Amino acid sequence: EVADYVLSKRYVKLVSTNLPFGVNGYTKYGRKRFHPSLKLTKRYYPHVHNMDGFYVARFKKYANGVKKQEPEEEDDDEEEEEEEEQEISVSYTAAEVAAVAAVSSNKSLQ
């Protein structure tokens, strides 16, 4: 939910992590539907990959600021050519993702 929130609120897009293993991120979970580009993220489970649990998402920033409430258009090619691009790699442990999700759900209840 964190990466989906960032995609909806900031001028960023997800790019491939280029990691050779891991499980692709969810585009749907139960009744929830997430942005289709979340399949580019990777999940690492302790019981499957014999390591700490991680979630890896690699964002590319294509403009500064916060998105307005207008619906997002799929054709970002013109903006990408005009704006300077920055790549941002982010990885979260499963505990960090759970903590952010818990805080987000508590704020929405208030």
Side-chain angles (χ1 to χ4, degrees):
E1 287 186 32
V2 175
D4 192 51
Y5 177 84
V6 171
L7 287 170
S8 68
K9 299 294 183 182
R10 301 283 187 233
Y11 292 108
V12 296
K13 65 179 183 175
L14 282 169
V15 295
S16 176
T17 60
N18 295 325
L19 297 171
F21 67 100
V23 178
N24 290 339
Y26 296 141
T27 55
K28 59 185 177 177
Y29 182 78
R31 292 184 179 189
K32 293 185 179 186
R33 300 293 178 253
F34 304 114
H35 195 276
S37 66
L38 285 175
K39 68 180 176 231
L40 297 172
T41 64
K42 293 288 185 184
R43 295 177 160 278
Y44 298 94
Y45 298 106
H47 62 285
V48 174
H49 300 103
N50 196 26
M51 58 190 293
D52 288 338
F54 286 96
Y55 179 76
V56 179
R58 186 174 174 194
F59 293 95
K60 185 178 276 190
K61 181 178 176 180
Y62 59 87
N64 291 326
V66 178
K67 280 187 180 177
K68 296 183 177 144
Q69 294 296 338
E70 301 171 7
E72 182 181 340
E73 295 180 11
E74 293 295 323
D75 189 15
D76 298 330
D77 294 338
E78 292 178 23
E79 289 183 44
E80 288 181 37
E81 292 173 6
E82 296 174 9
E83 297 288 334
E84 181 179 327
E85 294 182 352
Q86 298 175 344
E87 288 191 11
I88 303 168
S89 294
V90 180
S91 64
Y92 296 102
T93 64
E96 290 171 324
V97 171
V100 171
V103 170
S104 296
S105 66
N106 286 340
K107 285 185 180 179
S108 66
L109 294 176
Q110 295 176 350

